[in-house]
Amino acid sequence: MWVLAVGLLLAHNGYLWLVKGVVPDTDILALLPVQQRDPVLQQAFTHMVDAAQQRVIVLVGADDWEHARSAADAYNAVLAKHADVLQTGMQLSEQSQQDWLAPSQQMRLSLLTPSQQDALRAQPAKYWSDTALQQLYSPFSGPKLGAWQDDPFGLFSGWVQARAQETPVRPRDGYLFVEDKGRPYIVLLMTLRQPAFSMATQRAVLPLLEQAGAAARQAVPSVELVSAGVVLHAGAGSAQASREMSTIGVGSLLGIILLMWLTFRSLRPIGLIMLSIAVGCLGAFSVCWLIFGQVHLLTLVFGASLIGVAQDYGIYFLCNRVSADRKLDSRQLLRRLMPGLLLTLTAAVIGYVGLALTPFPGLRQMALFSVIGLLFAWLTVIFWFPALVSAATLNSSSFAAWFGQTRRHWPLLKWNGASLLALLLFASFALTGIARLKVNDDIRSLQTPPKALLADQIKLGKLLDAPTPVQFYLVRGASAEQVLQREEALKQKLEPLIARHVISGYQAMSSWTPSLQAQQANRTLVTQALLAPDGPLKAVAAQLGEDQGWVRQMRERALSGAASANGGQALTPEAFLKTAASEPSRHLWLGKVDSPEGAIYASIVALRGVDNYANLPLLQQAGEQLAGVQWVDKVSEISSVLGHYRQYMGWVLLGAYAAIFLLLFARYRFAAWRVLAPPALASIATLAVLGIIGQPLQLFHVLALMLILGLGVDYGIFMQEQSLQRDRFAWLTVGLSAASALLSFGLLALSGTPPLHAFGFTMLIGIAVVWMIAPCFSQDSPKEEKQ
């Protein structure tokens, strides 16, 4: 029956991974309770980062424009041969630039900057007539867009200049470029054809970029290349993971194989233990997928703890098979070991079930994955090991005999002066360390990008003054018009922050397409201040020697070129998004979206120059008291999620200790504390060490403490069962389990990835301490027996 069950698991997993091509969920907000998740906010964040995730930006810098252009041409020539991998940006032409401005130019009377609005209200007619004449005669009056008659007062040109100030990037000779201290940098924008996190994409793109860079350096040896993109960071992470897998992973595997060989002089036990763990993982994934319809990546990472816990069941059986009387049948041996095996499984399940009591769906998924995985691995040991392992197939070794003998050198904890002194010293150490322990849930502390990539990212961000995708305002409303009006109210709050250099600017859809209310107000303001029959145009006509007919002609020309807001031809976000000019701003408009309250409209106001996190409270305050405006800080939000998980896991850990104690009390009575004391003291010692070395507490430390409890309880049960059944090989079981856990998890302390390092470092200290002190809490020491 178990063969049939495992066959079904293999078929189901094969279908999921090979046929359906499942991809684990990586959205950390999916771990939040449903009532705490905001679908509109999540859609806004996805909308904001999706395009950036597929974008690669390269700055080609040189001492002068000609060298920069030559290097950029060489770089583009390489990429042009691989359009199936990278889509390069189109080169700009004069016609394409004119096409960008055409839709806005038709609505020019509806588009005004805040400073222009203030000037139209405050400045007299003479100011505007002088401005018009300056626009006509002065060669230094600024860029002119179209004929002077279409924009005599320079309002549209001023509006276009304000839009241009949203980025330092400018067009030149068909390229986009930015300048820094007289040094030109050509901006090359590329879009990935495949997902950035795909290993195949990384293997195709990264060598291609290296090849293009080499071509640019060959063309201009002094060229400076500044690159940024998610695929670069993903590729660096994959390369680091591969290096660590080949060193830490292979090293731990070889260590475990050597350990098993020294103990059993056979590789058969390794295969059996791996078999039980594999069945556990297959079963856990299948059941979770059937229940949740998706499995989160963090669940799979946490599920790796199955390797550390599930191996104990097989090791316990194998070590007892070696030590048992050869006349004792394996099934008879199983019946004798069943109380201990059942107790270890129940204790582990209690710890993980505690996660299911939390309000976080992510923790509930982890709990189910762990419980099912442990149960399937345990059942594999129960059903298959007695049939696959017999006294004849497993022999003891001199190493196993020697290690078993070392148990007698450990002192037993008794009520005497030495034990009291050790307790006082430990308490002093623990209090000193824990008093210094700090907490840091900042998601940024879990990332360590290569220094070169980080330097390029910082430099590119400063040169391009690009908006951040993780801090922005989400604006909602019942209609597109209401959203635009609320954006305009928010922008009035942001202008003082720009003056104080808290931010360098903002990007909003209402800057390109004002609300209909604002467009009508702008048209009315321009008409009253500039186009009235006795307004500035009359004074300009007098200066030019024109008559009243010229004034009427100029007025009619201005009005005929701009659509009426009431005529249905006003500029709207939907119409603007269909134009080429909207391409850099499309990520700002979500349009009509579904929410728990029904269909609404939403947009994003992005910020530039957010480089001082101490100013984030000021930005949050700017959006407060404004209807429909929400400040979004994804870094803080995700960090808050991690903090909630850490706190809940801490309480679950304490609850697990209490529940396991009650379980153990039923079998060991007042000796139950001897089972829980080693993992508890090891966890306290680990926290103290973290405090002393100044490493802040994070979620991954607490996850490791949960695993230390699961493993430590197993060791304590093995030692207590030794006292009950006079099992002289219990210490060998503990030693093999602990050494395997240290090789499997402790070596992760060498990882350069902060979460893995935190998990591995905690496991290294905790398991080592449990291993060292577990024998001290036994009730007695088994006498040495002749092997």
Side-chain angles (χ1 to χ4, degrees), residues 2 6 9 274-284 372-373 376-377 380 384:
W2 195 241
V6 173
L9 289 178
M274 291 297 105
L275 174 64
S276 66
I277 294 173
V279 172
C281 291
L282 291 175
I372 296 299
F376 275 59
T380 302
W384 284 356

Side-chain angles (χ1 to χ4, degrees), residues 652-786:
V652 168
L653 184 61
L654 294 177
Y657 270 98
I660 292 174
F661 177 80
L662 295 177
L663 173 70
L664 298 174
F665 186 82
R667 179 167 176 81
Y668 303 123
R669 298 301 175 184
F670 293 102
W673 69 272
R674 294 178 180 273
V675 178
L676 281 180
L681 293 177
S683 297
I684 294 172
T686 302
L687 294 176
V689 171
L690 293 177
I692 289 174
I693 66 176
Q695 189 172 128
L697 185 67
Q698 298 172 342
L699 170 64
F700 293 93
H701 293 117
V702 182
L703 294 178
L705 292 179
M706 178 66 78
L707 184 53
I708 289 172
L709 169 61
L711 293 173
V713 166
D714 287 352
Y715 304 160
I717 290 174
F718 296 155
M719 299 305 295
Q720 287 302 310
E721 290 296 313
Q722 162 198 280
S723 301
L724 294 177
Q725 301 184 16
R726 299 295 177 180
D727 177 18
R728 66 184 185 275
F729 268 71
W731 177 234
L732 175 62
T733 304
V734 172
L736 282 179
S737 298
S740 298
L742 287 174
L743 289 171
S744 299
F745 299 109
L747 287 181
L748 291 178
L750 303 176
S751 173
T753 305
L756 295 181
H757 171 77
F759 190 90
F761 185 72
T762 306
M763 291 295 298
L764 181 65
I765 299 173
I767 295 301
V769 173
V770 173
W771 187 7
M772 291 296 101
I773 68 175
C776 301
F777 288 86
S778 296
Q779 291 176 293
D780 57 13
S781 179
K783 296 180 180 179
E784 177 182 353
E785 298 185 21
K786 185 176 180 180

Side-chain angles (χ1 to χ4, degrees), residues 324-357:
D325 187 350
R326 289 183 172 272
K327 296 180 181 180
L328 188 65
D329 182 74
S330 289
R331 297 188 184 279
Q332 296 173 332
L333 174 64
L334 177 64
R335 283 194 291 271
R336 195 180 78 178
L337 299 178
M338 187 58 76
L341 283 170
L342 191 58
L343 201 58
T344 55
L345 174 66
T346 308
V349 167
I350 286 176
Y352 289 118
V353 165
L355 299 180
L357 302 178

Side-chain angles (χ1 to χ4, degrees), residues 351-573:
Y352 289 118
V353 165
L355 299 180
L357 302 178
T358 67
F360 292 105
L363 288 182
R364 290 197 293 268
Q365 188 180 104
M366 293 177 197
L368 180 66
F369 189 96
S370 300
V371 168
I372 296 299
L374 290 178
L375 178 61
F376 275 59
W378 188 85
L379 289 174
T380 302
V381 172
I382 298 302
F383 291 150
W384 284 356
F385 275 41
L388 297 175
V389 180
S390 64
T393 60
L394 211 58
N395 297 312
S396 179
S397 66
S398 56
F399 172 80
W402 167 81
F403 189 86
Q405 301 275 349
T406 61
R407 165 68 182 85
R408 59 182 177 171
H409 299 296
W410 259 258
L412 292 178
L413 183 66
K414 298 180 180 179
W415 295 110
N416 53 30
S419 297
L420 181 60
L421 177 61
L423 182 61
L424 290 175
L425 291 176
F426 178 81
S428 176
F429 163 76
L431 290 174
T432 302
I434 293 177
R436 299 180 181 181
L437 186 63
K438 297 180 180 179
V439 174
N440 182 12
D441 298 311
D442 195 333
I443 185 66
R444 289 167 295 189
S445 65
L446 302 181
Q447 300 173 327
T448 54
K451 293 182 178 179
L453 279 181
L454 184 60
D456 276 6
Q457 188 79 42
I458 293 174
K459 183 167 185 175
L460 186 142
K462 290 182 177 179
L463 289 177
L464 299 184
D465 194 21
T468 169
V470 292
Q471 283 101 14
F472 55 87
Y473 294 98
L474 175 61
V475 184
R476 314 182 207 208
S479 63
E481 172 68 8
Q482 188 177 57
V483 170
L484 293 174
Q485 291 180 19
R486 289 175 173 178
E487 276 192 13
E488 289 160 355
L490 172 62
K491 291 192 297 184
Q492 292 179 6
K493 295 276 190 177
L494 295 179
E495 288 295 337
L497 298 181
I498 296 176
R500 294 165 54 186
H501 303 290
V502 174
I503 56 176
S504 60
Y506 52 77
Q507 293 181 355
M509 181 58 67
S510 57
S511 297
W512 292 90
T513 60
S515 65
L516 299 182
Q517 181 183 43
Q519 291 185 48
Q520 181 61 48
N522 289 340
R523 287 175 50 79
T524 301
L525 185 61
V526 172
T527 303
Q528 292 177 350
L530 303 180
L531 303 182
D534 57 347
L537 278 178
K538 184 176 182 181
V540 173
Q543 291 285 338
L544 298 178
E546 302 287 351
D547 57 14
Q548 190 64 27
W550 181 86
V551 175
R552 287 195 303 271
Q553 181 182 1
M554 289 289 292
R555 187 173 184 272
E556 291 172 358
R557 180 168 183 166
L559 292 174
S560 63
S564 170
N566 298 325
Q569 302 177 5
L571 196 59
T572 63

Side-chain angles (χ1 to χ4, degrees), residues 3-254:
V3 170
L4 177 60
V6 173
L8 292 175
L9 289 178
L10 282 171
H12 186 237
N13 275 266
Y15 166 75
L16 291 178
W17 291 101
L18 301 179
V19 179
K20 195 170 183 179
V22 300
V23 177
D25 188 6
T26 58
D27 179 15
I28 197 167
L29 293 183
L31 303 174
L32 277 172
V34 176
Q35 61 270 21
Q36 294 185 17
R37 293 167 59 189
D38 186 339
V40 179
L41 175 58
Q42 178 59 19
Q43 184 174 341
F45 181 63
T46 303
H47 193 75
M48 192 75 169
V49 302
D50 274 355
Q53 181 173 293
Q54 294 300 107
R55 184 66 58 88
V56 178
I57 303 177
V58 177
L59 300 184
V60 182
D63 295 331
D64 54 59
W65 175 254
E66 293 303 323
H67 284 95
R69 184 174 179 180
S70 298
D73 289 341
Y75 198 103
N76 269 336
V78 174
L79 299 183
K81 302 175 184 177
H82 302 275
D84 57 325
V85 178
L86 274 176
Q87 177 185 359
T88 57
M90 297 294 294
Q91 289 194 343
L92 299 176
S93 64
E94 291 295 331
Q95 183 60 44
S96 65
Q97 295 178 49
Q98 290 297 326
D99 292 341
W100 273 42
L101 296 175
S104 300
Q105 195 165 18
Q106 293 176 359
M107 311 292 178
R108 56 184 177 271
L109 290 191
S110 302
L111 304 175
L112 295 174
T113 66
S115 60
Q116 288 173 339
Q117 293 171 348
D118 293 339
L120 287 170
R121 296 187 185 99
Q123 298 295 342
K126 186 177 186 307
Y127 168 86
W128 291 107
S129 60
D130 291 345
T131 299
L133 293 173
Q134 183 183 17
Q135 290 282 331
L136 178 63
Y137 293 121
S138 174
F140 304 107
S141 59
K144 297 178 176 61
L145 303 173
W148 175 83
Q149 291 87 344
D150 292 330
D151 187 28
F153 302 102
L155 293 178
F156 182 66
S157 297
W159 180 85
V160 171
Q161 285 182 298
R163 300 287 70 76
Q165 294 305 314
E166 294 182 0
T167 174
V169 178
R170 298 290 181 268
R172 180 178 178 182
D173 295 344
Y175 278 114
L176 293 173
F177 85 102
V178 65
E179 195 169 77
D180 180 46
K181 299 178 180 178
R183 184 178 178 86
Y185 290 86
I186 291 180
V187 182
L188 302 180
L189 302 176
M190 294 157 277
T191 304
L192 298 176
R193 296 288 192 180
Q194 299 296 328
F197 289 101
S198 166
M199 295 289 290
T201 301
Q202 296 164 21
R203 285 193 294 265
V205 170
L206 298 184
L208 179 59
L209 295 178
E210 287 290 336
Q211 183 181 352
R217 293 185 185 94
Q218 184 176 3
V220 180
S222 61
V223 68
E224 179 186 0
L225 299 176
V226 182
S227 306
V230 172
V231 69
L232 303 179
H233 292 270
S238 299
Q240 178 175 314
S242 299
R243 290 194 300 269
E244 293 179 354
M245 182 66 72
S246 61
T247 53
I248 299 175
V250 173
S252 63
L253 179 61
L254 292 177

